[in-house]
């Protein structure tokens, strides 16, 4: 009677071994998933530190669930700790002004007027 209830005609021992393997695989997948969630939470925490934003308690909880100390993969760590630190607004404005000197305004104006003339040729209403 009990052997008829088991799938695919498996013996009880085979079925128990199969169930045990499924459970072990599920535990391993859950462990990897928790680790990835913790890595993402760590990235968010580092980015919030970098840009002086408020921390989220859920990120701390995810890191704690994964075991506390989470190491970031190198590509994520490089993204967080980039060589180019954000500069203040005044340096950005000076860089913009320096690039503005390189722009040839007459050539830019001629290019814009050429585009308008092409549209006028194609559009009878203009």
């Amino acid at each position: 009677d009990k052997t008829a209830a088991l799938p695919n005609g498996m013996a009880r021992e085979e079925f128990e071994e199969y169930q045990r393997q499924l459970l072990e695989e599920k535990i391993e997948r859950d462990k990897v998933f928790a680790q990835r969630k913790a890595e993402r939470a760590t990235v968010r925490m580092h980015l919030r530190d970098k840009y002086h934003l408020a921390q989220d308690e859920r990120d701390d909880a995810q890191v704690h669930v994964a075991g506390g100390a989470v190491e970031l993969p190198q590509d994520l760590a490089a993204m967080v700790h980039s060589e180019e630190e954000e500069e203040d607004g005044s340096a950005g404005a000076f860089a913009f002004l320096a690039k503005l000197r390189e722009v040839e305004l007459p050539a830019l104006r001629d290019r814009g007027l050429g585009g308008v003339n092409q549209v006028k040729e194609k559009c009878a209403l203009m």
Side-chain angles (χ1 to χ4, degrees), residues 5-7 10-27 29:
L6 297 176
M10 286 184 183
R12 182 167 243 353
E13 295 82 24
E14 290 175 342
F15 184 70
E16 289 174 357
E17 178 67 22
Y18 175 72
Q19 291 291 10
R20 188 185 60 75
Q21 286 176 350
L22 284 178
L23 183 62
E24 288 175 358
E25 289 173 2
K26 182 186 182 312
I27 290 171
R29 282 193 313 270

Side-chain angles (χ1 to χ4, degrees), residues 51-111:
Y51 295 109
H52 308 291
L53 301 173
Q55 293 294 332
D56 191 355
E57 296 170 3
R58 292 177 291 184
D59 291 338
D60 289 331
Q62 286 178 348
V63 171
H64 182 68
V65 166
V70 176
E71 291 186 23
L72 290 178
Q74 290 180 351
D75 54 344
L76 293 178
M79 181 180 77
V80 172
H81 303 292
S82 65
E83 296 294 328
E84 302 174 353
E85 289 296 325
E86 292 295 318
E87 298 178 9
D88 58 40
S90 62
F94 289 128
F96 173 74
L97 290 174
K99 289 181 181 178
L100 189 60
R101 280 193 217 155
E102 298 171 9
V103 174
E104 296 178 21
L105 292 179
L108 185 61
R109 184 186 62 127
D110 292 341
R111 184 175 174 193

